[in-house]
Every structure is written in C-alpha cells, then in structure tokens.
Amino acid sequence: MESQVAARQREELTAQELQKIGAVAAHSGVSVKTIRFYCDQGLLRPSGRSEGHYRLFDASVYGELALIRTLRGLELPLPTIKAVLEARRSGMCTCDNLQATIRGKAGEIEQRIADLKSLHAELNGLLSTWQSCGGRPAPVSAGI
C-alpha cells in the first residue's frame, strides 16, 4: 500500500507538470477568456483542478489550441471542431460526415491556392508589360 507521503509527493510532481490557465494563455497567445470558452464548449479538457479549483492543463493543450486556431481559420463551426478534436484524441474517426467535411475543406484550400497562383501569375504578367517611367511623375488627368 502506498504511503501518504509518497502519494503526496506524486501529486506535487503531477501538479508541477500541469499549468494553470494563465500560464497556458501566456505561452500560447490565446486569452484566458478564450481558453475558458473553449473549455465550456467542450473543445478543451483540463487535466484536473488545483486545490483552489483552477483549471490545470498538460502540455497537449498547446497542440489542441493550435489545431483549434487552424480550424477556426478555415471557418469550421465549433461542433465540427469538437468532433475533430475528439477523433484526434481517440485516434480514429468513423464519422463519414466529419471526414467529408475535412475533405471538402482540404479541397477549398487547394482551390484557394490555385486561385492565388493564377492571380500571382497575372500580376507578374502585368508588371512585365509596363515600361519604366524613369522617375517622372504620372500625368495628371484633366477629369480629376
């Protein structure tokens, strides 16, 4: 049977590895308010609570916050982000709808990349057709 001293030492070691929400916010660049919101929405799961009832997080919270930020940038709704996080935590996703959503977003990204490459080529083509003005000011239009 484990002694009370050994159990207390193990708890203290675990508490040292866990971080309060303020430290997570400072290291991640995500506000405390946003982290609390994500917890309330079920996106983040604290690893435990301190004696003062502060939320405590392990190092995995940083990867999850980065993923949430990326998925929010893709304009995925919070319930979909929650499903992605749950699938990531479990290591498997059997939901065809979720997989289709992620594939669809990946396709949208590919289309955006193609559109930006086309715009880039068009702008470079435009620049290559212009002649240098030699530093002269542009003529003023009479209608302005």
Side-chain angles (χ1 to χ4, degrees):
M1 183 181 256
E2 187 176 45
S3 74
Q4 289 180 344
V5 173
R8 182 72 176 179
Q9 288 174 340
R10 191 184 79 247
E11 287 175 11
E12 288 175 7
L13 177 63
T14 303
Q16 290 172 0
E17 295 170 1
L18 300 177
Q19 294 183 330
K20 290 182 182 176
I21 197 168
V24 171
H27 289 98
S28 68
V30 177
S31 72
V32 169
K33 185 176 179 179
T34 300
I35 294 171
R36 284 189 187 123
F37 174 75
Y38 290 158
C39 289
D40 294 343
Q41 296 299 308
L43 301 177
L44 293 177
R45 297 180 186 157
S47 298
R49 296 265 183 173
S50 70
E51 288 181 16
H53 301 289
Y54 290 102
R55 291 176 176 104
L56 298 173
F57 298 91
D58 63 25
S60 69
V61 72
Y62 296 107
E64 290 186 348
L65 284 169
L67 181 58
I68 292 169
R69 186 178 282 171
T70 299
L71 296 175
R72 291 294 294 149
L74 295 174
E75 301 173 358
L76 285 175
L78 292 179
T80 302
I81 294 172
K82 182 178 178 182
V84 169
L85 288 166
E86 288 171 356
R88 181 179 187 225
R89 287 179 192 125
S90 71
M92 57 189 240
C93 177
T94 58
C95 176
D96 292 335
N97 188 28
L98 178 58
Q99 290 179 9
T101 299
I102 298 302
R103 280 190 199 97
K105 283 297 177 181
E108 288 176 22
I109 291 169
E110 289 172 8
Q111 185 59 51
R112 285 186 202 171
I113 291 170
D115 292 345
L116 287 171
K117 284 182 177 180
S118 176
L119 178 60
H120 183 258
E122 186 175 328
L123 291 174
N124 281 333
L126 182 62
L127 286 172
S128 69
T129 63
W130 288 349
Q131 295 179 9
S132 175
C133 67
R136 295 178 303 224
V140 178
S141 208
I144 297 180

